[in-house]
Amino acid sequence: ESDNISGNSKSVDDGCYIATMVYGSYDSPEVLVLRRFRDQFLLKNYIGQKFVKIYYQFSPKIVKKTKHLQSVHSVIKLFLNPLTKIINKIYAE
C-alpha cells in the first residue's frame, strides 16, 4: 500500500486513487482533472493537505475491498462525474 502523498503510484494494485479504480486508468481524463485539483489547490492549503493525507491513508484499503465491485464503481462515478466537470469549469476559466 502506498502512502505517497503526491500520488505518483500508477496502479490500482499499488494503492493508487479510487478514481483510477473506477475509470480504469491513471491517465484517464477524469483522473487527470482530479490530480490537477489535488496539486493546484488541495496541496496548497492546510485543510487540503490534511484531506489528501487522510485520503491516501484510507483509499488503498477501499480500493482493495471494492476493485471488483462494478456496482460500487458506478455509485462512486455518480459523485465523481459531476465533481470533475465542476473542477474542469473552474480551471477552464
Side-chain angles (χ1 to χ4, degrees):
E1 294 179 35
S2 172
D3 61 0
N4 183 346
I5 197 161
S6 67
N8 290 330
S9 175
K10 290 190 178 189
S11 166
V12 171
D13 292 330
D14 291 338
C16 198
Y17 314 97
I18 292 171
T20 299
M21 174 185 70
V22 300
Y23 292 111
S25 171
Y26 181 79
D27 295 317
S28 75
E30 297 87 355
V31 176
L32 293 172
V33 167
L34 293 168
R35 288 192 347 240
R36 183 176 64 207
F37 179 70
R38 176 202 61 206
D39 296 343
Q40 294 180 1
F41 180 74
L42 292 176
L43 291 179
K44 292 188 177 189
N45 67 75
Y46 178 78
I47 293 171
Q49 291 169 4
K50 292 300 177 190
F51 172 81
V52 171
K53 183 176 180 179
I54 292 167
Y55 176 80
Y56 282 108
Q57 181 179 355
F58 290 101
S59 65
K61 295 171 185 131
I62 293 168
V63 168
K64 188 174 182 180
K65 290 182 188 248
T66 63
K67 65 182 171 183
H68 300 298
L69 301 174
Q70 293 301 314
S71 60
V72 172
H73 298 193
S74 296
V75 170
I76 294 170
K77 281 183 183 180
L78 288 175
F79 171 74
L80 290 180
N81 287 340
L83 179 63
T84 57
K85 287 179 183 176
I86 291 167
I87 292 169
N88 241 350
K89 277 187 177 184
I90 291 169
Y91 283 99
E93 295 176 357

